[in-house]
Structures are given as structure tokens and as C-alpha cells.
Amino acid sequence: MNKREQTQRFKIDVNKNNDIAKYYEIPKIKILFHNEEFLVIDKPYDVRIDGDTSKGHTVLSLLYNQIPNLPKPLRNVHQLDHATSGCYCLALTKKSAGIASVAFAKRKVDKYYLAIVRGWMKNDSYVVEQPIADVPNNRYRMCIGTEDNPGKSSKTEIKVLRRGYFNSSLPPSPSTTPPLSPSEYIQVTLIRLHPITGRRHQLRLHCQFLNHPIVGDWHYERQIMDYTDTWRMMLHAQKLVIPLNKNEEVLDVDAGDPFSELVTENSGYDYVDEVQRENK
């Protein structure tokens, strides 16, 4: 989808005399699935689901602008963090909301995420079982549970897809090339995450627990290393599978992979040495 397809252009008046106007672009949300019961979208990163729109668009405000005949209210059956992109499901009826909510509550929903994390992970797969707890007097962060603050049990399965290099200073482009100098890249691992439980900030904390925080994660990366000041947090909800009834009917939606082209693969040589040799 090109930039023109991603946005709609609107004209708004800026004074009572209607003689001064300006144009602004409203993001257009990609629809992954839509029937009479469910709407599944590819949620943009850095957009809240709902709430006050005075400081910016929300998912709901964008959807009602884009599809005016959507029923009200749209019913949330799960959550995605403000900074996370990807598969997000909304129920269009009370009955469908109940079906999906029960499936989530009984852990029958399969969710798969992609992330770019700092450093090269040693193993090809991990299973992280660490409890997630609230941080007292901080509504923005969670923490790994302790004896004094045990939290709730949580489990994440992680599979390594690629180890390579990430240029944090550049936004996405159609072609991915290695950085021009050693100072412009960081070693990263592209991973697929399968949360077995659904705790708040679970994936972000479990990656941090492995000492491989998600690139661009303001709350958790900077706790253990220098923060990667890049254009977004590299966490994306790639796939969502929700069982709908006893007849094995499922809602199976895939939001694609926005990260693979951002990771230049390590092909068995040290890129630092290669660049230094070329610059001599």
C-alpha cells in the first residue's frame, strides 16, 4: 500500500468566516477482515485504541471516519499497546464479543508477534516463564515478579528467525542495504513470539529478562542498556487465530511482516571488519 492509499485528505475551516482553510491528512487503517460480527485491522504503531482525541487520532476515531456506518459501540475483546502495530480484533455485536472474550479468557486464542531485539540471541528458541507484576505508583510500566511482589504467572515461546544488523537512524525503505559505517548499525535478532498467557507488557518484559530488549522500547530497553532512538518500537502483532464455535470454525488473520527487510542478515562474516577493510 503506497502513501496515497494510506491516507485521506480532508479540508477543514480554521475561522468562523469560512475564508481560511487548510488541508491535513488522516491516516487510513488497513482492514484485514470484516463481516457482520468482527472487524480485524492492522493497527498502526503509536496510535491509542480509544480515549481522548484532542491530542491525536485513536483507532476508533480513525475507523468511524473511514467507515461511517460501523455499529456503535465497537467492542474491544483484547488489547494492543499504544506503540505496537498489527492484528487487532473488534467485535461488532454483543454476541460476537462474548464469543471472542471467552476464547481469550480460556487461552484458546493463538497470537503470534514479530520483534526486533537488541543483540544476537545465542539459542534458536526459548521458553520464558516469569511472572508479571505491577510497579507500585507507576501506571506505565510492569516488572518481573519477586517474592515481595509476585504478580501473575506468564509464559512466552520465542523462536529466532534471523540474526543481523539494524540501521536505527533510517526509516523503512523499499530496499535494505547494510549501514555505511559501523556507528550506524546495531546487532539485532528478528524473533517470533507466541504468548501462552496474555499479561500486560509480557512480551516486552520477557525479552528484557533475556537481556535482549525490544529495539525502541522506551520503558524497558533503557533500563538495561542505551535506548535505541529510532522511529518506532519494533513489536508487531503478526497473526491472530480465534476459535469461534465447536465446529472448529476459526478467525485466522495475518498482518504480514514489516521487519524482515529492516534486518540485514549476518552471512557468516563480521561486518565491522568488512567495513574497516573497505575503508582502508
Side-chain angles (χ1 to χ4, degrees):
M1 182 180 293
N2 60 36
K3 185 177 180 180
R4 183 173 297 178
E5 291 173 327
Q6 291 174 347
T7 60
Q8 298 174 334
R9 190 173 288 273
F10 290 82
K11 183 177 182 180
I12 60 171
D13 297 320
V14 295
N15 69 8
K16 294 181 179 180
N17 297 325
N18 199 30
D19 58 357
I20 301 176
K22 69 176 181 179
Y23 286 89
Y24 69 101
E25 290 185 339
I26 295 181
K28 188 173 183 180
I29 292 182
K30 183 178 180 180
I31 306 299
L32 301 174
F33 178 87
H34 187 191
N35 66 6
E36 294 180 352
E37 296 180 325
F38 294 101
L39 173 66
V40 185
I41 65 168
D42 185 355
K43 176 192 169 296
Y45 63 87
D46 291 346
V47 177
R48 292 176 294 111
I49 299 297
D50 52 17
D52 182 14
T53 59
S54 63
K55 295 182 179 180
H57 303 297
T58 66
V59 166
L60 295 189
S61 69
L62 290 171
L63 284 172
Y64 281 124
N65 178 78
Q66 187 173 326
I67 312 175
N69 62 345
L70 281 175
K72 293 184 178 181
L74 293 173
R75 293 170 168 86
N76 300 327
V77 296
H78 67 127
Q79 288 292 328
L80 282 184
D81 291 342
H82 163 268
T84 305
S85 61
C87 288
Y88 181 68
C89 180
L90 292 152
L92 305 185
T93 68
K94 186 175 182 180
K95 180 180 178 180
S96 59
I99 292 171
S101 296
V102 168
F104 274 98
K106 292 186 175 181
R107 299 181 183 174
K108 294 183 177 180
V109 177
D110 280 320
K111 298 175 287 182
Y112 297 91
Y113 292 73
L114 295 174
I116 301 175
V117 299
R118 292 288 297 271
W120 289 345
M121 286 184 155
K122 180 180 179 180
N123 300 331
D124 291 333
S125 64
Y126 297 82
V127 177
V128 183
E129 295 185 77
Q130 292 293 323
I132 305 297
D134 292 325
V135 175
N137 303 317
N138 189 324
R139 64 189 182 94
Y140 298 106
R141 289 198 298 110
M142 305 293 284
C143 65
I144 297 295
T146 63
E147 185 176 342
D148 295 331
N149 184 19
K152 297 180 179 180
S153 63
S154 62
K155 180 179 180 180
T156 305
E157 298 174 347
I158 298 175
K159 180 181 179 181
V160 168
L161 302 179
R162 180 186 301 174
R163 299 173 183 85
Y165 302 93
F166 171 74
N167 191 336
S168 62
S169 65
L170 298 177
S173 62
S175 61
T176 302
T177 56
L180 297 178
S181 70
S183 63
E184 292 180 346
Y185 72 85
I186 55 175
Q187 292 181 348
V188 295
T189 304
L190 176 66
I191 60 174
R192 194 181 198 198
L193 305 104
H194 180 206
I196 306 303
T197 54
R199 310 302 182 196
R200 181 174 179 240
H201 292 188
Q202 174 180 321
L203 303 183
R204 299 163 65 179
L205 275 166
H206 280 180
C207 288
Q208 185 205 53
F209 174 79
L210 294 174
N211 291 318
H212 294 282
I214 295 173
V215 170
D217 189 343
W218 171 254
H219 291 295
Y220 301 112
E221 184 183 19
R222 67 193 180 108
Q223 286 187 322
I224 61 174
M225 59 181 62
D226 291 338
Y227 170 66
T228 307
D229 188 9
T230 189
W231 66 90
R232 63 162 295 182
M233 182 179 72
M234 300 296 161
L235 180 62
H236 175 73
Q238 181 189 32
K239 188 175 179 66
L240 184 65
V241 183
I242 306 175
L244 300 180
N245 53 43
K246 295 181 180 179
N247 297 324
E248 298 184 355
E249 181 184 359
V250 298
L251 179 61
D252 187 339
V253 184
D254 194 309
D257 175 5
F259 294 155
S260 286
E261 67 174 13
L262 304 180
V263 179
T264 303
E265 193 163 10
N266 173 26
S267 301
Y269 66 89
D270 188 328
Y271 188 71
V272 176
D273 292 341
E274 187 75 9
V275 171
Q276 289 175 343
R277 283 194 298 269
E278 291 177 356
N279 291 336
K280 286 184 179 179

